[in-house]
Amino acid sequence: MPTSKKQTNNSLSLAIMKWPVLWGGVATAAFYIAIRGGHLQHPLITRYFASHPVEYIATTMFFVGLAALLIKFLALLAQPKVTGQMVLGPFAATSIEQCPELLADIDEKPRSIRRSLLGTRIVDAVDYVRRRGSAENLDGHLRGLADQASERSVASYSLVRIVISTIPILGFLGTVIGITRAVAELAQLVGDISFEEAINSVVSGLSVAFDTTALALALSIVLMFAMFFVSRAEAARLAAVEREAEQTLIGRFESTGGGEDPGVLAIR
């Protein structure tokens, strides 16, 4: 019982360590501490990142999205390079009755092999053959597993997509708020000072308002390119896993499904 509780706590700790919100918040705090502490004193940094409340929110969301992509990229790099031979051994004709032995052998492999993308794919396929008692439609099952992995990959970018679509909206919101305040100030200043002086005062305020949109669009572009490269790397890894799984499993098991000609089965 204590061991189980310890494993649960470790799993929870690992899950928390993979929260993009946590690391995005840490990065945001470090960024603004560096600005306030004088380590980042460039006028453009202060103008575009620390001059409007919307800029703080947009920057925070940017770091959250960037953290999500970085976590996925590090997870890809952490995946060991596993081959089918490392999981099942050299390619050889195998009877379906040997599937339980194959699964038992895989279970004795190192965790890095068992929990790898290819390892879990092969275990699922071998278990499929064991349950059906036939290797019929194994290639279709492998394609189904590949499609499921692709769908999970696409779904895992949902947070990043939300961030990419939300940041520009925040930028436009900051611009609208700035324009609204500028118009209100213009109405108040016209009666007190000349129209030219009032316009100059309002225009200087509008520059800050439009900065929020410029910042938001720039941050969204950075995230879009980062997501493109990470997703392409993940797609390439999944495609490699699919090819290796097919080369390892297709033709390995005897196919004696009920859909064959009875005469062929009798001759066999």
Side-chain angles (χ1 to χ4, degrees):
M1 189 70 175
T3 303
S4 178
K5 185 176 180 180
K6 183 178 180 180
Q7 292 177 349
T8 301
N9 292 335
N10 291 337
S11 300
L12 181 60
S13 300
L14 289 175
I16 293 176
M17 293 296 290
K18 294 181 180 179
W19 280 358
V21 176
L22 172 63
W23 293 111
V26 171
T28 303
F31 179 70
Y32 281 109
I33 288 174
I35 292 177
R36 299 303 181 188
H39 302 289
L40 296 175
Q41 295 182 330
H42 198 280
L44 290 179
I45 294 178
T46 304
R47 173 181 173 181
Y48 284 101
F49 289 94
S51 299
H52 195 283
V54 172
E55 294 174 349
Y56 287 88
I57 300 174
T59 303
T60 301
M61 296 191 68
F62 168 76
F63 279 118
V64 170
L66 196 63
L69 292 174
L70 183 60
I71 289 172
K72 287 189 66 65
F73 184 69
L74 292 177
L76 283 176
L77 293 180
Q79 279 289 328
K81 294 182 178 180
V82 178
T83 63
Q85 186 172 351
M86 295 171 63
V87 181
L88 285 181
F91 188 90
T94 306
S95 66
I96 296 175
E97 288 76 13
Q98 292 178 296
C99 287
E101 298 177 9
L102 292 177
L103 292 173
D105 291 340
I106 296 174
D107 195 51
E108 295 178 357
K109 301 285 184 179
R111 178 183 175 88
S112 59
I113 295 178
R114 289 185 288 107
R115 300 299 296 273
S116 64
L117 294 174
L118 181 60
T120 55
R121 183 76 57 86
I122 290 178
V123 167
D124 193 301
V126 174
D127 187 61
Y128 169 82
V129 175
R130 179 191 63 80
R131 287 184 285 104
R132 284 178 56 91
S134 170
E136 291 295 323
N137 199 36
L138 177 59
D139 55 344
H141 182 67
L142 289 175
R143 286 194 297 270
L145 292 177
D147 292 340
Q148 292 175 11
S150 179
E151 291 174 359
R152 288 194 297 269
S153 174
V154 172
S156 65
Y157 291 95
S158 57
L159 174 62
V160 182
R161 290 192 180 90
I162 290 174
V163 170
I164 291 175
S165 61
T166 303
I167 288 179
I169 297 175
L170 284 172
F172 293 134
L173 178 62
T175 299
V176 170
I177 293 175
I179 293 175
T180 303
R181 293 178 59 182
V183 171
E185 291 178 2
L186 177 62
Q188 295 177 354
L189 293 174
V190 167
D192 299 331
I193 59 178
S194 66
F195 184 77
E196 290 78 8
E197 293 176 344
I199 287 294
N200 292 332
S201 176
V202 170
V203 168
S204 63
L206 285 177
S207 63
V208 177
F210 285 108
D211 286 345
T212 61
T213 298
L215 173 67
L217 295 177
L219 295 181
S220 297
I221 291 173
V222 172
L223 285 180
M224 288 175 64
F225 276 101
M227 187 178 73
F228 169 75
F229 287 113
V230 174
S231 61
R232 192 168 76 167
E234 186 173 11
R237 175 61 62 88
L238 292 177
V241 169
E242 182 180 359
R243 289 193 302 269
E244 185 68 21
E246 290 180 350
Q247 293 174 2
T248 303
L249 296 169
I250 299 299
R252 190 182 191 102
F253 301 98
E254 295 180 356
S255 180
T256 58
E260 292 190 26
D261 188 344
V264 175
L265 293 178
I267 294 173
R268 183 176 295 169

